[in-house]
Each structure stands twice: as structure tokens, then as C-alpha cells.
Amino acid sequence: MTKVIGYEYSKGEFTSDKGDVISYDNIKIYTITDVFQNIVGCGSSMLKIKRDELFKLTGLNNPDDLLDKEIFPIYTPVGNSVRLTSIRIEEK
């Protein structure tokens, strides 16, 4: 079980090691979850996604619609890592 308990927008700029200015516009989705192997009960976690990918990942336009919902993050192997490719929302 992974349940959304909140979110925040994170927007700004930073300078890379090469001196490039990089802009970001993200949504941090805060959850409680019982998927941790070493925690008895629930722990907290955070998913960070690009704001403009919310609809692509969830099918929703507004992160308010995620609040108090159970979600299932779907990860897909890409090369030597995994990428968040979908967030399925449990319908009750």
C-alpha cells in the first residue's frame, strides 16, 4: 500500500558543475507506505516528477486528485536503471 498524503511544487534554477543554468519545475508527491522491508508498520516516501508529466503519468490534470488515494508506481527498466513510467491509481 502506498497512499498519497500531500504534495508540493518545487521550481527554480541551479548551476551545474559545467556552469550551465538548469531550470526545474517538479511536483514532490509525499506518501506513506508499508513496502519497506526493514520498517514495522508504515514509513514515508516521496516521488518527484516533472510538473508537465503529471497527466502523462497519472491521467490527472490536478495533483489534488491524488490526495488520500492509494497509488501504484510502475517502473520500467531502461538501460542500467529504472524509470517511473506510470502511476496507477487504485479505484475504490
Side-chain angles (χ1 to χ4, degrees), residues 9-34:
Y9 294 114
S10 175
K11 185 176 183 174
E13 295 179 337
F14 68 93
T15 304
S16 73
D17 294 339
K18 296 178 182 178
D20 299 325
V21 175
I22 299 171
S23 298
Y24 61 90
D25 189 7
N26 300 321
I27 301 173
K28 294 179 182 177
I29 300 169
Y30 297 100
T31 65
I32 55 172
T33 183
D34 61 0

Side-chain angles (χ1 to χ4, degrees), residues 4 22 35 46 62 73:
V4 176
I22 299 171
V35 300
M46 188 260 303
N62 188 335

